[in-house]
Amino acid sequence: MTGTQRRAQLLDVSRTLFAEKGFDNTSVEEIAARADVSKPVVYEHFGGKEGVYAVVVDREIQALTGALTGALEGGGHPKALVERTALALLSYIETSEAGFRILVRDSPVAQATGTFSSLIGDVATQVEHLLADQFTKQGLDRRTAPIYAQMLVGMVALTGQWWLDARRPQKAEVAAHLVNLAWNGLSGLERRPQLTKGTEPARAAGRP
């Protein structure tokens, strides 16, 4: 392998191990053995377990940040923004299960700017501005927008963590129920919530 190919292989192997066992229970020896290389090769590329973990987390943070901010930057009706954000998170979980498992785990080497909680906080800040504008239009106190932004994003994030293992019902239905609660409130829940036409994701090949 070239140096670039070896680095990519070590990242893939480490990502799988961190997702399966967590940071504390993964060793450089295991990474090397799984990649069929010697320990010095791992140290040469990343300086140790902490180094490879930091790169893995950074890549996952960038992927999820891109998905969530892309959903918010699309504009449109506030309800559509909630729908797209919920679907973006669930789609990331569906396609990057190992990465999401790593992000939601606590680690002694994770910095304040590179954790799942800090990412969710950043997204909540973006949602806060969107909500504030809507609150003003509806005659509500825009000063309460940060509270509602934290509640809304937190609800989506925690539901995503639950769905990581549950995987039932399908993501479109989970997203519809999230929006049902977020948009209608407990007093106005619809009996059979559905996403706005055009928001539902295309069905993946081979999936029921």
Side-chain angles (χ1 to χ4, degrees):
M1 289 186 182
T2 64
T4 300
Q5 292 172 330
R6 179 64 72 190
R7 179 182 174 85
Q9 180 211 22
L10 290 172
L11 285 172
D12 288 341
V13 166
S14 300
R15 181 176 182 266
T16 299
L17 284 170
F18 289 138
E20 292 174 354
K21 309 180 67 173
F23 174 82
D24 289 334
N25 295 320
T26 299
S27 66
V28 172
E29 288 84 354
E30 287 177 294
I31 295 173
R34 185 76 65 93
D36 196 24
V37 299
S38 62
K39 285 173 54 178
V41 174
V42 180
Y43 287 109
E44 176 185 349
H45 282 277
F46 300 102
K49 183 174 71 169
E50 291 79 6
V52 68
Y53 181 85
V55 175
V56 169
V57 169
D58 183 64
R59 286 173 54 175
E60 296 303 329
I61 286 287
Q62 289 186 35
L64 183 51
T65 299
L68 295 177
T69 56
L72 292 171
E73 290 172 352
H77 192 278
K79 183 179 180 182
L81 292 177
V82 177
E83 291 179 341
R84 291 204 304 268
T85 302
L87 278 174
L89 176 63
L90 295 174
S91 294
Y92 170 80
I93 293 171
E94 185 176 55
T95 59
S96 304
E97 178 179 328
F100 190 73
R101 288 190 184 279
I102 293 170
L103 290 182
V104 297
R105 279 197 173 104
D106 290 329
S107 167
V109 300
Q111 303 299 314
T113 56
T115 64
F116 183 64
S117 59
S118 68
L119 170 61
I120 293 304
D122 291 342
V123 174
T125 299
Q126 296 185 54
V127 172
E128 173 186 328
H129 298 302
L130 298 171
L131 288 181
D133 292 340
Q134 290 298 316
F135 281 20
T136 298
K137 292 178 182 179
Q138 297 179 32
L140 301 173
D141 185 356
R142 66 180 291 124
R143 293 175 299 179
T144 63
I147 302 173
Y148 284 92
Q150 292 290 337
M151 289 189 291
L152 180 60
V153 175
M155 178 179 69
V156 173
L158 287 174
T159 302
Q161 292 187 52
W162 166 80
W163 191 71
L164 174 64
D165 292 314
R167 293 305 178 94
R168 288 290 185 276
Q170 294 186 5
K171 67 179 179 183
E173 185 176 347
V174 174
H177 283 290
L178 276 167
V179 178
N180 190 25
L181 176 58
W183 191 254
N184 299 311
L186 288 173
S187 63
L189 290 179
E190 299 172 356
R191 290 179 61 85
R192 297 180 182 279
Q194 295 182 346
L195 297 180
T196 302
K197 187 175 181 180
T199 307
E200 293 188 13
R203 183 170 295 176
R207 290 184 179 276

